[in-house]
């Protein structure tokens, strides 16, 4: 009579652990592939928003990097969100606002990193006006600036801006009003285009 082959329990455990490690490695590799694919497409838009918020190419890249690091850490949660782009914009804007609370954020760096592509200027006669508005935005308080950038330059409705900033819609409208008032003071009441249509949405 043949005796069954005895397999030590630890061997089963080791084999099971090996399968689990391989499964996890496969999941991690797929998560990273999806993350890289998403970031590759989203990066130009994130850089544009960061540059509009802080008008400093060095700081804009730092803010984007901070946001992308947080996105990587929470990728599975982000991927499951109803609107991934909105989720990432929220991380980016909150990274900007958190950075503004630091004392060194008031230091302005000059020049531009050679490996960072410049934000392309829009074609046509609006370039000069756009530059003036962006320069004025830099002198608007950070939260008001974030509201104006999201509402008028990123064309987001009040409700979404409120979600991004974690505040009420009423607060967004108030910050919009104060921000536009500050811009009018800086621009001599020459607030152009969509920025002048305060209660559009």
């Amino acid at each position: 009579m043949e005796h069954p082959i005895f397999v030590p329990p630890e061997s089963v455990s080791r084999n099971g652990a090996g399968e689990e490690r391989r499964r996890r490695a496969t999941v991690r590799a797929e998560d990273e592939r999806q993350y890289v694919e998403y970031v590759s497409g989203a990066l130009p838009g994130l850089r544009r928003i960061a540059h509009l918020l802080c008008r400093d190419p060095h700081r804009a890249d730092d803010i984007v990097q901070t946001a992308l690091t947080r996105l990587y850490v929470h990728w599975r949660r982000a991927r499951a969100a109803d609107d991934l782009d909105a989720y990432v914009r929220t991380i980016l804007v909150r990274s900007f606002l958190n950075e503004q609370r630091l004392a060194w954020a008031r230091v302005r760096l000059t020049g531009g990193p050679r490996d960072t592509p410049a934000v392309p200027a829009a074609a046509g006669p609006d370039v000069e006006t756009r530059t003036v508005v962006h320069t004025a935005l830099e002198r608007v308080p950070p939260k008001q600036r974030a509201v104006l950038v999201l509402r008028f330059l990123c064309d987001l409705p009040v409700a979404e801006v409120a979600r991004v900033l974690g505040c009420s819609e009423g607060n967004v409208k108030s910050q919009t009003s104060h921000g536009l008032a500050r811009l009018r003071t800086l621009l001599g009441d020459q607030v152009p285009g969509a920025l002048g249509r305060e209660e559009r949405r």
Side-chain angles (χ1 to χ4, degrees):
M1 175 179 176
E2 290 187 6
H3 295 285
I5 297 172
F6 175 72
V7 180
E10 59 270 21
S11 298
V12 176
S13 177
R14 279 198 299 271
N15 290 339
E19 287 296 327
E20 179 63 15
R21 279 195 297 273
R22 281 192 289 274
R23 187 190 67 80
R24 288 182 181 175
T26 301
V27 170
R28 278 198 301 272
E30 178 61 15
D31 284 346
E32 292 198 7
R33 185 194 66 76
Q34 291 178 0
Y35 169 84
V36 169
E37 184 178 302
Y38 174 77
V39 168
S40 297
L43 191 55
L46 295 175
R47 280 181 166 165
R48 175 179 175 269
I49 294 172
H51 194 267
L52 288 169
L53 289 171
C54 62
R55 298 294 295 165
D56 181 322
H58 301 274
R59 194 156 289 150
D61 273 358
D62 286 345
I63 291 168
V64 170
Q65 185 60 54
T66 297
L68 293 182
T69 300
R70 291 177 181 167
L71 176 63
Y72 181 82
V73 171
H74 301 291
W75 175 243
R76 288 191 185 178
R77 184 194 308 167
R79 192 182 56 191
D82 292 336
D83 186 336
L84 179 55
D85 290 336
Y87 188 100
V88 177
R89 271 195 303 268
T90 299
I91 295 175
L92 181 70
V93 173
R94 291 184 184 178
S95 296
F96 162 72
L97 293 174
N98 289 339
E99 188 242 26
Q100 290 298 302
R101 297 186 183 103
L102 303 174
W104 69 266
R106 291 190 289 271
V107 177
R108 182 167 177 80
L109 304 175
T110 57
R114 286 180 298 178
D115 58 345
T116 301
V119 176
D126 258 347
V127 173
E128 185 176 343
T129 301
R130 187 182 298 264
T131 301
V132 170
V133 171
H134 288 175
T135 301
L137 269 174
E138 189 179 356
R139 300 174 63 187
V140 173
K143 190 165 184 181
Q144 293 173 17
R145 190 187 324 163
V147 168
L148 295 179
V149 166
L150 291 172
R151 282 201 63 198
F152 301 112
L153 302 180
C154 294
D155 202 34
L156 298 182
V158 171
E160 187 166 346
V161 175
R163 283 194 295 273
V164 168
L165 297 177
C167 64
S168 68
E169 293 184 23
N171 187 259
V172 170
K173 291 177 181 178
S174 173
Q175 294 286 345
T176 300
S177 178
H178 292 311
L180 287 173
R182 176 66 175 153
L183 273 184
R184 287 192 182 98
T185 299
L186 294 168
L187 297 172
D189 206 25
Q190 299 299 310
V191 181
L195 285 168
R197 295 194 293 276
E198 204 170 322
E199 298 303 327
R200 180 179 55 167
R201 287 166 294 188

